[in-house]
Amino acid sequence: MNPEQLPKELTNLVNWSVTELGKVIQSELGEKGFDRIESLRQYVKTEEGEKLHGLLKIKSDLSQLSRQDQYAIAHSFALMLELINSCESAYRTHRLREDTKIMTEEGHSFGHIIHVLTAHPTESRNPDIIYYFKKIQKLLEKHLVNEEEKDTTELFALLKITWRIPMSKQRKPTVMDEAEYIYSLALHEDVMRVFIDQTAQKLPFYIRSWVGGDKDGHPGVNEKTLLGSLQMARQFLLRWIQDKFSSFMKDLEPLAHTFGKHQSEMEHLLSLAASIRKLLTQLKKIRAGDSKKVKALQKNLDQLLADYQRFLGIESSVLYEVRLLLKIFPGLVVPLELREEASLVHEALQSPLRKSAISRMLQLLGKIASENDPRFYVRGFVLSQTESAKDLIAGVQLVEKYLGKARLPVIPLFESAHSLSSSVSIVEEFLKNSVRRKYIENLWSKKFEVMLGYSDSAKENGSFPSRFLIYSAIRELEKVIKTHGFEPVFFHGSGGSVERGGGSIQEQTEWWPHSALNTVKMTVQGEMIYRNYSSPEILRSQLDRLESARDLSQKKEDRFESPRARKDLLTLSQFVQQSYQELLKEPAFLQLIETATPYIFLKDLKLGSRPAKRQGSVDIKHLRAIPWVLCWTQTRILFPSWWGIGSFWRNLNEEGKIHYIRAFVESSLFRSYIKLLGFTLEKVELEIFAMYLHSSELPKEVAEQMVQRFTEEYEQCRLAVREITGEESLLWYRPWLETSIALRSPLIHPLNILQLIALKEKDVTLLRETVTGVASGMLTTG
């Protein structure tokens, strides 16, 4: 580990802010409490403090403390890790401001980028703590501009407030809580500037939301949440427009007393402006026929824009921006994506007398949109667990029933190994019918959209098999859809963590075909919304990287690996899938999930409005993908990303290994996976996982056997990465990241230890704080 690999500005910022946090802790807990935390911080950074016997000693010591003292330690380390995250975000924002490059039409190819913002239970932090840490980040950004002006008093005051606020959520959020959180970030004034600038440069960027429309497995979603989510977005957007329009009217006031030949023109402008103001007032509440009023607003605005330009010979920049916003949000809302399980869509069609929630949602959409395009309010109808063309046909029929025609695109979600393998035949069968093809041509803008589920496929099969299944499906689907003359759109249902298809923009997109980069559509979930939208500079950077990935893709031909490499990757995928699934079926492993992870307390964590698990026994099928990954993130083992790779490598002869070393050079899929694999392995802490096993109710011999098996697999996996890449470091491509992980990892250890105490004592308050703290340290809940 070499701290010098990190920028000096960042390390100075961390040292300053953590020192101030130490002063807050000292003022709150006194010298004794502060010394205890500082000694613990220093000890875990030593080699002794990271070994199992050292960790168990800490556990023994902390077990003797009162619940109040245990919570104070957990809160201290959780705040410290979140403060380090704020330092990193502030530094990144600062650097991006310094390196800002204005994108031009010539600089990038055109295409759409769409973020679908979701509220899956991945954001564990208390909304109040997020509010204050955003203020802290702004203060840190200011400090980086001028280091001589350290606002130590303000930083101390803000940290003092955060000390009084739990890091974790104290109540289960409602769907509307999640909508407010998402829109407060994504429709913040600073972010609105990004939407406007991107569109003005003909690099359109759009957002959608699942909050309020994602019915699949969510008993709290119905027509009321659909309307509530649209209404909340409307409030944010209207507020922005009204502020802009007030500014325009203020500029217009001095001209109100124009005399002579211009008087009638001025009166006309004022009359138009008055009608727009009236429409804005009428649009505050979304009712049946809302689209007619939005359309009238657009028409009047266009007229005012043109008449103003004729009157003065110049364009109103304020009105122009308002008009751009209405192009970005033509329904004056953030459009939703509806989702329901395919089998329940069939049931909805067969039960005409008792309308299901999804039926009522579509019926409400029809009333709001009236004869205008419902896609201004809802962009698509996603069918989860699509297993046949009959599922898609049922989706179309349900849309026709409540919207008159198939005016809403029906989107299959392929997420299981079976559905991904069958996806091409399902789509082919659906597209055989000429009537359905006319729907796509006339009502769906000649685009056929497919959603690819990374989370559930990875939970079922392991990370590499999941990516290989999606990689295989996407290329064949592209051919089939293009053969019928339609544009394929691939909706990537990935998450923030590697285990759910996440990773850097480069690693995520490197293996996508051209068409997947023409319209980039991807989910942004939970805490990743905050990471991406906490500053406009970070958001712009993400968009610029996607644009660059598109440009790079268009400059090179889609290059398929050789038949030999393709066969080798298939062999690897099948081996890992089998090895992973065999482990999941072991009774001892199911016992491990229940007794050595926070699984049984998922309902107490208050992570999200959606149930953390489906009804049923403790098994993989009933556990949702995100809480599944949460278990392995919290225990620091992250095994779905790497299990099976090590044993596969161990069984290869030298000639076989050479084939995979060549595949690393030749295959973008394999290369991106190996890079993500190195990143994941660097974050794994076997000693922490071993402590969870030894502290659980597992029989001692079973725990020992599990520790040995995971250790052997892990070490073999590390060896595989080194031999495939020819590099000693697992993060050879980002050395600073290796340093960052090594510096922050020991600071998470006390939280894991306190979590084990909380699990044993059934101390839910302490458990919540430790889960949130570990998530801050790992940069993802799940």
Side-chain angles (χ1 to χ4, degrees), residues 416-434:
S416 67
H418 175 264
S419 67
L420 283 166
S421 300
S422 308
S423 60
V424 174
S425 61
I426 292 171
V427 170
E428 276 183 329
E429 186 177 343
F430 181 78
L431 294 178
K432 277 181 186 177
N433 184 282
S434 61

Side-chain angles (χ1 to χ4, degrees), residues 632-649:
W632 313 117
T633 302
Q634 291 290 309
T635 56
R636 314 277 291 281
I637 195 67
L638 305 170
F639 92 97
S641 289
W642 53 268
W643 186 266
I645 300 290
S647 50
F648 178 81
W649 192 254

Side-chain angles (χ1 to χ4, degrees), residues 17 75 194 220 339 421 450 488 583 642 658 697 700 771-772:
S17 57
H75 192 51
V194 177
R339 182 169 69 153
S421 300
V450 171
L583 176 66
W642 53 268
I658 289 170
E697 296 176 5
K700 186 177 180 181
V771 166
T772 305

Side-chain angles (χ1 to χ4, degrees), residues 116-124 169 173 178 181-182 209-211 214-216 218 339 413 415 451 455-456 491 493-496 500 523-529 606-612 614 624-627 630 781-782:
V116 181
L117 309 179
T118 78
H120 282 59
T122 57
E123 176 56 272
S124 61
K169 290 177 181 173
E178 293 169 335
Y181 166 70
I182 283 176
S209 177
W210 266 3
V211 180
D214 185 6
K215 177 59 193 163
D216 180 29
H218 198 321
R339 182 169 69 153
L413 168 51
E415 50 197 332
M451 185 175 180
S455 299
D456 280 291
F491 178 5
S494 54
R500 295 194 294 114
T523 51
V524 182
Q525 300 180 350
E527 68 261 319
M528 299 312 297
I529 298 174
K606 313 296 184 187
L607 294 182
S609 65
R610 178 187 294 274
R614 297 176 176 89
R624 292 188 184 278
I626 295 167
L630 178 145
T781 305

Side-chain angles (χ1 to χ4, degrees), residues 155-279:
L155 179 59
F156 181 87
L158 288 170
L159 289 171
K160 190 91 168 175
I161 293 171
T162 64
W163 178 264
R164 306 295 174 92
I165 304 172
M167 276 283 289
S168 56
K169 290 177 181 173
Q170 300 303 296
R171 67 175 181 84
K172 191 175 182 65
T174 65
V175 176
M176 288 301 100
D177 289 334
E178 293 169 335
E180 184 175 17
Y181 166 70
I182 283 176
Y183 297 141
S184 67
L185 289 170
L187 298 179
H188 188 274
E189 187 177 354
D190 292 343
V191 176
M192 297 290 274
R193 184 80 256 159
V194 177
F195 292 121
I196 297 295
D197 290 346
Q198 289 284 130
T199 303
Q201 296 172 46
K202 298 186 180 177
L203 299 167
F205 165 55
Y206 303 98
I207 58 170
R208 315 283 183 240
S209 177
W210 266 3
V211 180
D214 185 6
K215 177 59 193 163
D216 180 29
H218 198 321
V221 168
N222 52 35
E223 70 280 9
K224 292 179 182 177
T225 60
L226 183 148
L227 181 60
S229 185
L230 293 174
Q231 186 67 61
M232 190 168 289
R234 170 71 58 86
Q235 289 172 5
F236 279 93
L237 293 169
L238 263 185
R239 193 179 306 143
W240 186 90
I241 290 177
Q242 286 169 332
D243 287 346
K244 288 286 182 183
F245 201 69
S246 294
S247 171
F248 169 77
M249 292 301 292
K250 192 173 182 180
D251 291 343
L252 206 60
E253 277 176 16
L255 297 171
H257 305 294
T258 301
F259 295 103
K261 65 178 183 178
H262 298 301
Q263 186 175 0
S264 62
E265 294 177 65
M266 189 62 212
E267 288 174 354
H268 173 66
L269 286 178
L270 290 172
S271 175
L272 261 178
S275 66
I276 288 173
R277 270 189 162 168
K278 184 179 179 182
L279 278 167

